[in-house]
Amino acid sequence: MDYIEYIFIIIGGCFSVYFYIKKIGFHVKSRFDFVSALGYESRIDNIVLENKKDKSVCIYGLYAVVDDRYFLELESFKEPLILNNNGVLKIDTKPFSSLLVETVRYELSFSSKIKLFLKLDNGYIQTNKIFCFFPKRIDNKFRLISKGICRYNNIVYNSYARYILTYIFDNQMKTAFFSKYGKIYGEWNFHYNKIGKGQREITDQDIRNLIKDHYSEITSYKISVVNPNDLSIKELA
């Protein structure tokens, strides 16, 4: 066997090892954003997954381990999402009203240490980990963060809302939310986006005065108050 044959054998062996490594185990890269808005809690969103292996991955859920202490479900799927070999997948998460660790309120922080995990049919794999050969169970190693979701007219709201205004405009029902200091958000496209002055807490009469003085075109409406403790809603007369 001459020198050139040895070179071809070595090159062929290198390629065999390379393609073998590309097939075994898992390597999924991930990135995400923290997003926040007035009507719901800060959350992990705009998640992008990139499969670095030559085999597809069936994803049944997306989870976060926070500060190496807490376990949070971001999304779960009845039918698995397929991340194709060497493919890219974008996942948007749904807003929620609150987070709880047992009965204690919890808030995600931009400074929190986040590790993303994918749930497969036989365990979890960590993203951004080059050598991840076997899925394993991790959900029993951390304290569970549970999500609370409150909706009004199919719009998620949280403890920032103090009053809810449901009104008819252009023959369509709209829902706007008012913070306790008068910030207006939700389905509200009028000029004024705040009522009241400074840190004075508003009342439902302030909302009625706003409509009476500035928006006479709103002829049909109702106002509800939000209990900040349990987010229950009571319609006002």
Side-chain angles (χ1 to χ4, degrees):
M1 186 178 296
D2 58 23
Y3 178 73
I4 294 178
E5 289 178 320
Y6 277 117
I7 292 177
F8 277 111
I9 291 173
I10 293 172
I11 292 175
C14 290
F15 274 108
S16 297
V17 171
Y18 171 77
F19 288 116
Y20 176 73
I21 291 174
K22 288 285 286 182
K23 288 288 187 181
I24 65 169
F26 303 90
H27 180 198
V28 178
K29 297 183 68 175
S30 68
R31 62 182 185 272
F32 59 87
D33 297 321
F34 269 107
V35 299
S36 60
L38 297 179
Y40 48 79
E41 299 297 291
S42 299
R43 74 183 194 276
I44 298 168
D45 196 16
N46 305 323
I47 300 168
V48 177
L49 304 175
E50 182 180 356
N51 189 1
K52 307 301 289 185
K53 292 289 187 177
D54 283 335
K55 64 177 183 180
S56 60
V57 180
C58 295
I59 303 171
Y60 289 86
L62 188 59
Y63 295 78
V65 171
V66 184
D67 294 330
D68 293 322
R69 296 182 61 193
Y70 304 105
F71 188 72
L72 172 64
E73 178 187 284
L74 302 177
E75 290 292 335
S76 61
F77 314 105
K78 292 182 179 179
E79 297 294 329
L81 298 183
I82 307 300
L83 178 57
N84 293 323
N85 52 313
N86 297 304
V88 176
L89 188 63
K90 184 177 185 297
I91 300 175
D92 297 321
T93 61
K94 294 182 284 293
F96 49 82
S97 305
S98 61
L99 294 175
L100 292 175
V101 177
E102 295 178 352
T103 59
V104 179
R105 182 167 178 172
Y106 183 86
E107 292 185 10
L108 280 176
S109 169
F110 288 90
S111 62
S112 297
K113 180 182 177 182
I114 304 295
K115 295 178 183 177
L116 293 187
F117 285 79
L118 308 181
K119 183 179 182 181
L120 310 187
D121 60 347
N122 57 344
Y124 300 81
I125 61 169
Q126 183 178 339
T127 65
N128 295 327
K129 191 173 182 180
I130 297 177
F131 300 107
C132 185
F133 294 106
F134 303 105
K136 57 184 179 180
R137 184 178 179 184
I138 62 167
D139 52 315
N140 59 345
K141 297 182 179 180
F142 307 97
R143 299 182 68 188
L144 178 66
I145 301 175
S146 59
K147 289 188 287 189
I149 302 175
C150 295
R151 292 186 179 91
Y152 188 86
N153 290 343
N154 209 33
I155 300 175
V156 174
Y157 67 94
N158 62 358
S159 59
Y160 191 77
R162 183 54 52 90
Y163 293 96
I164 302 176
L165 172 67
T166 305
Y167 63 99
I168 303 297
F169 183 74
D170 283 345
N171 295 319
Q172 292 184 330
M173 186 175 71
K174 305 284 187 178
T175 303
F177 298 84
F178 291 72
S179 74
K180 67 178 181 179
Y181 297 126
K183 179 69 176 179
I184 311 172
Y185 58 100
E187 296 177 331
W188 183 262
N189 297 317
F190 298 104
H191 175 71
Y192 291 98
N193 60 12
K194 187 181 186 306
I195 60 175
K197 294 182 179 180
Q199 297 298 302
R200 179 184 70 84
E201 293 191 19
I202 66 169
T203 67
D204 62 293
Q205 189 58 50
D206 293 315
I207 302 174
R208 300 179 199 277
N209 291 341
L210 172 70
I211 296 173
K212 177 183 176 182
D213 296 340
H214 300 285
Y215 302 114
S216 58
E217 63 268 36
I218 299 177
T219 57
S220 177
Y221 67 89
K222 67 178 182 179
I223 299 173
S224 301
V225 61
V226 179
N227 185 322
N229 296 316
D230 60 7
L231 300 185
S232 60
I233 294 173
K234 179 181 178 181
E235 184 175 337
L236 302 177

